[in-house]
Amino acid sequence: MDSAAVYHGPLEGFVSRRTALERTLRSSDAAAAAAVKKLRKPSVGAWAIDQLAVENPDLVAELLAAGLDAREAQQAVADGSRSGEDLLVATTRVREAIEGAVRAAAQVLERSGQAMAEETARKIRTTVLAAASGGAADRQALWRGTLDRDLTPTGFGAADVPDDDEPELARAIAPLRRQASPRRRGAATGGARVAAGDRVAQLAAERGAAERLKVAERARTIAATKRQHAERLAAEARAADDDATAAERSAEAAEKAAR
């Protein structure tokens, strides 16, 4: 199990998933086991966002692509190479992606039996903005679904020279970029876009398959519990039937004795 999988699943099962992975790694990789043991249980809002990495990777990729475009547009406006209109278009796209993420996160919470309070919605909105506009680590956490806390936005272009995204993430969002910076523009060939699109589809399929396996495992656990309960009830019913038969025989004997 990858450490990211610890964050994917019911929030109340986070600790048990973390413990299971830590025990699995303990004998083969002590350092990795220690790192897993330190994983922090996410806040409700962060957990809801994390589930989108599995359930809706296309939405997350769009959000990250929009965030990178907006950051580069702001830097280009600052150095005079782009117009303010370009920045307005980019930031509008970010806002639309954020609202889409908030709606999707609300559905995640609803399925888990929780209503999204206004404060939770605010935290989800600011966290996805902070992750999409933040450094490489936060963007990678949003992509993998491993956010463990609520984030506060620092603003697009806060860093003069922002860290590049991890290669896997950069390839995934390349087809969604709408305004590449000069240093990236030459690399966005048609073949690369097709390959990146295939990679996004592959990742979505892999994550979807992993999630379906987890759902199946949970269903098997529930089925086993219900079967045990049914067997217990059946045993109790058989015992009650035996008691009833014994009581009937005692009654018959008493009647005969009375006659």
Side-chain angles (χ1 to χ4, degrees), residues 6-132:
V6 174
Y7 292 87
H8 303 153
L11 181 57
E12 61 272 17
F14 176 88
V15 174
S16 61
R17 292 193 297 273
R18 181 183 62 189
T19 300
L21 180 57
E22 188 266 331
R23 288 176 178 171
T24 300
L25 294 173
R26 194 181 297 164
S27 60
S28 60
D29 193 336
V36 168
K37 189 175 182 179
K38 294 179 181 178
L39 294 177
R40 185 166 63 177
K41 184 176 181 179
S43 63
V44 172
W47 170 81
I49 297 169
D50 288 338
Q51 306 321 298
L52 301 183
V54 173
E55 298 183 10
N56 203 333
D58 290 343
L59 185 153
V60 176
E62 166 65 16
L63 179 61
L64 288 163
L68 186 55
D69 282 350
R71 183 170 67 187
E72 292 188 351
Q74 179 162 322
Q75 292 168 344
V77 169
D79 64 26
S81 61
R82 300 269 290 279
S83 69
E85 184 178 351
D86 288 339
L87 178 58
L88 178 60
V89 171
T91 54
T92 298
R93 181 187 174 199
V94 171
R95 284 196 298 271
E96 292 174 350
I98 288 173
E99 292 309 312
V102 172
R103 289 192 295 271
Q107 293 174 356
V108 169
L109 290 173
E110 183 178 355
R111 288 196 300 272
S112 70
Q114 305 178 64
M116 187 165 71
E118 184 176 342
E119 179 63 12
T120 302
R122 184 190 67 79
K123 289 180 178 179
I124 289 175
R125 187 173 285 105
T126 57
T127 296
V128 292
L129 172 59

Side-chain angles (χ1 to χ4, degrees), residues 69 72-73 75-76 82 177 179-187:
D69 282 350
E72 292 188 351
Q75 292 168 344
R82 300 269 290 279
R177 299 292 309 281
Q179 42 193 27
S181 63
R183 67 186 178 88
R184 296 177 186 268
R185 195 170 293 140

Side-chain angles (χ1 to χ4, degrees), residues 143-162:
W143 171 244
R144 298 188 71 222
T146 57
L147 291 170
D148 61 5
R149 66 193 185 283
D150 302 320
L151 303 178
T152 302
T154 56
F156 293 107
D160 292 335
V161 184

Side-chain angles (χ1 to χ4, degrees), residues 245 247-259:
T245 301
E248 289 172 353
R249 289 173 179 172
S250 296
E252 290 173 359
E255 290 176 357
K256 288 179 180 179
R259 287 196 295 270

Side-chain angles (χ1 to χ4, degrees), residues 163-185:
D163 296 331
D164 288 336
D165 287 324
E166 293 291 329
E168 177 191 7
L169 174 54
R171 289 193 297 271
I173 67 174
L176 304 175
R177 299 292 309 281
R178 296 183 184 175
Q179 42 193 27
S181 63
R183 67 186 178 88
R184 296 177 186 268
R185 195 170 293 140

